[in-house]
Amino acid sequence: MDARVASICCRSLSCCASHQPVQLLWLSSEEHFRSRNLNSLLVCKGRSIHSPLYRKSFQHLLFARYSSEFQPNAASSKRRGRGPAMLAMKGDREKEKEGGQYKATVDLPQTSFSLRANSVVREPEIQSLWEANKVLERVSEKNDGSTFILHDGPPYANGDLHIGHALNKILKDFINRFQLLQGRKVVFVPGWDCHGLPIELKVLQSMEPEARKELTPIKLRKKAAQFALKTVEQQCRSFKRYGVWADWSKPYLTLNPEYEAAQIGVFGQMVLKGHIYRGKKPVHWSPSSRTALAEAELEYPDGHTSRSIYSAFKIVHVGDNFPESLKNFVPALGVAIWTTTPWTIPANTAVSVNDNLQYAVVQVHHPSQTSLAEDGSSKVGTRTKKIGNGLHNPDLQYLVVALDLVEVLESKWNVKLEIKGTLPGSALEHCRYVHPLFQRESPIVIGGKYITTESGTGLVHTAPGHGQEDFVTGQKYDLPMLSPVDDEGNFTEDAGDFKGLSVLSEGNVAVVEALDKASHLLMEEPYAHKYPYDWRTKKPTIFRATEQWFASVEGFKEAALSAIANVEWFPPQGENRITAMVSGRSDWCISRQRTWGVPIPVFYNIKNGEPLMNPKTISHVQEIIRQKGSDAWWYMGVEDLLPEDYKQEAEHYVKGSDTMDVWFDSGSSWAAVLGTRKHLKSPADVYLEGSDQHRGWFQSSLLTSVAVQGSAPYKKVLTHGFVLDEKGLKMSKSNNNGIDPKVVIEGGKNQKEAPGYGADVLRLWVASVDYTGDVLIGEHILRQMSDIYRKLRGTLRFLLSNLHDFKPESDTVNYERLPMIDKYALFQLANVLDDIRESYECYHFYKFYQLIQRFAVVDLSNFYFDTAKDRLYVGGTKSFTRRSCQTVLVAHLLCVVRAIAPVLPHMAEDVWQHLPFTHFLKDGSRCHHVFEAGWPQTDAHWKSLSKDDVEYWRTLLQIRTEANKILEAARGGKLIGASLDAKVFLSTTNEALLARLAQHTTEDPDRLCRIFITSQAEVLASVNEATSLDVKYTGTSTLEGLGDLWIGVSKADGSKCERCWNYSVKVGSFENHPTLCERCQGVIRHGAGLGAKCETAVVAV
Ligand SMILES: [Zn+2]
């Protein structure tokens, strides 16, 4: 196993919870990881480490792609011994044994903020705190920025939430909380989609068959509403538990009367603008649900196989353009067609050709030795094909097929097709053929580009009642639109002998058999392809012409396309998806033959069926619905539903029974929510939903909005992918691989196997994934998230615990006087804050996740905190070095806690409630909650570090890494134990660097030994001098662009100070404190509380 060992002192993260150095096993070998994609985690496949030794002292840790940067700094502190603090916290007996007389002078970290989050209990407490103090409302009201509007897409109110819902709402919450910190007002109104078939079906399924018969529309609607409201309540509780901030007391529900009224208003506007019409058109029809379906209600499962047939129709007349030379074939000439829906043959009213294709008249010759079995069947792979009688029909010895397909068809039909002549498609127009099953003539017509030679024969069987393209061609030639199929998908009497047969089963078979019997079937074979299924019943649908209400997308398609171009799509490929969908969209069928929905407010004349619907009738119904809800449509009489002017004629009308497509419901939310709620308006700043909504809510919202107000209802549209399990498989009940967000947060039945991680760990996972594609989740990933969460918590705990005695107003050290190491730490803080802010602004939350993790582990824990402990614990309570360090820690605390707040709001608030000092807002008022504090404004000074200084510190950190390697070797060779036992020598061939290094030896926190955490460090004037020294552990390395570096490690000079464990030659020279070094005796002599005088400065963060 290619495993490199990195180590991090646990104390640098957890401070005093445990002082056993925790080592992190860093698996670098590619094979141990599965890379999700460029930006996401490397997921360790979870090889367990079997050695008990490993298990005890090693933990897995995931690092994102900066792990290569992690490596150099990592080998740092296994060897660190931070004596005093450790000693002071040990049991009394041990303290005496180890001589703890100075323990009271050590400044131990103190905080009640525990390392253990106890999220299952603590998070709800924090949520109650927010609710009781109306934090969201108050902060939003106080913020002076403009209102930020993220408009919520309504989930269906028909079941428990799944992990996809959690991903969606948590992403929205990141955005809202970030905007709130940026000073914007945030009004987030959550919504629910409450109408529609799924709920209707749930109600029906929950009832006994007898009770179902008794069900009136009104009873059904009451039950459906109860079911929806109950579900809304349950889902609402879950969303709140995720820590999602919203106006939960006033959500929008599509069943609310005011919502329904606004929706009727949108519909009325579209009627007024002439975009709504009634017509007989083929629509996707679900026989199993007995209703029309929208494109968004279809799915295309794998594995559908149709019975496809080749059939020939005999030509009886030729058109004017038919070539003279081919006319003598006509008595025995047929047109060959191919279809995957034989049941549509009874509705055939034309054959279409492409006028740009070349066609051939071919003669059918049968090979003398047939490879077919006697019954005419043969096996092609595993698929059975059947040759029909049509190939032996003397009336059809000549066939018209596309020239390009002659060879293909020869092999398919197992015949020789002799080309007798060719002709362009246009020459076939106005020829007439006789229907193979019914005695009626139909024309050959010019279809369009949709007719190709990719499959079939190049001639298309056309049934305008059963296909979209067929319908368009039918309109062009005024073809009859036959659709002899009823609501249940059975043939009607118009289909003659086929009456009563189901078109999707026995009806289809009967048509094929009839064609064969009539000697018009050339061949039949199974054909696997994508076929639309009803997404709810999982049964196949058909195309069927019915009387429906349509929104004429054609009427505003150009406007819709230009609106799309004005919206910002993220990820950008979303624009192509929705553009293609809208430009290919035929008119939108908006009527449904269901009960649980908003009625189409139309009346029909009893005598002639003419619809009555105009602005007057619509606004009358709209007002009734606003006051009484849409139930009124069902329980009120026509007389009352009609406005005054029409009441006299009420007896001549009936009310329509269709409801609107639920996509029209949710697609009207820009009007019903953004258009009616205080502070909101259309267009919204952001819509954010799953990528399947390009054909769902994004589109229905766009279409209604463009139709009514001429523009899109959103400025920006973000999409996220689906959540898959750790192996990348779709979650399903049958796979038993679902991850329930409730269990993630609160834990499962077996808390050992499924511990409750709390909402913040779930949220951290959401931040960690590149949500623009599909994302993975599983137990292993969650455990990693929990580890990283704990590390961040440890970082914040270190900050809190070392500020227990710090008063920002009096103890802060002015920036100018800060040591270099502190200035450099602030420089890094300022930069990481900029980067984090940018990652939030660009919605790249995974970048936030990587940045904060790297910052906490590499920059803080491994370096700054590691070096800071010396001065914090033993530097003297009020010493300058301790106060300057605390000045930096305060800045870090106040910045980091706010930077993580959008993603980890519970932890951030928990930290805020444990602040050891009071934070005041600009107006002098006390800041009680982290979100009141706003986004941290960094001090301009922090970035004022010169380029030279920055470069120098980067070099110094490289040198530190190299020094650590030699120290590690010395420790391995038992020369030293802890790093404080050592003295480091260094030299370099680079003179400028050498001079700069020499400067470090004087001022305390910047002294090289403090940075290396050794007792001494000596810079030697030349490498020659260095190599002549008698030092056992040495190493030479090359610093990038800066020449050679030489490092040596020997045992430290002098003796070990009892208090700080640093070695000094001065130990033993102080009469009253013979066991102390010069620093410690100074601290003790002046009282631990006395140190350099501090200046007052304002912490501007
Ligand atoms: Zn000391």
Side-chain angles (χ1 to χ4, degrees), residues 705-720:
S705 176
V706 169
V708 172
Q709 55 182 6
S711 57
Y714 35 67
K715 295 178 193 162
K716 195 176 283 182
V717 173
L718 272 61
T719 48
H720 58 78

Side-chain angles (χ1 to χ4, degrees), residues 1057-1062 1076-1081:
C1057 167
E1058 185 194 345
R1059 182 169 175 272
C1060 73
W1061 289 20
N1062 279 265
L1076 295 190
C1077 69
E1078 62 275 33
R1079 183 219 1 220
C1080 288
Q1081 78 82 31

Side-chain angles (χ1 to χ4, degrees), residues 1038-1052:
T1038 306
L1039 293 169
E1040 220 179 282
L1042 292 170
D1044 288 343
L1045 171 77
W1046 179 92
I1047 295 171
V1049 167
S1050 74
K1051 200 132 174 67

Side-chain angles (χ1 to χ4, degrees), residues 128-140 245 929 932:
S128 301
L129 183 77
W130 288 333
E131 210 167 320
N133 290 287
K134 296 192 180 326
V135 178
L136 168 64
E137 295 86 335
R138 282 195 302 107
V139 173
S140 184
W245 265 356
H929 300 281
E932 289 173 354

Side-chain angles (χ1 to χ4, degrees), residues 102-124:
Y102 295 109
K103 71 179 170 60
T105 69
V106 172
D107 290 298
L108 290 181
Q110 290 174 27
T111 180
S112 53
F113 179 81
S114 83
L115 187 63
R116 195 170 154 262
N118 194 19
S119 302
V120 176
V121 174
R122 185 68 182 138
E123 286 179 351

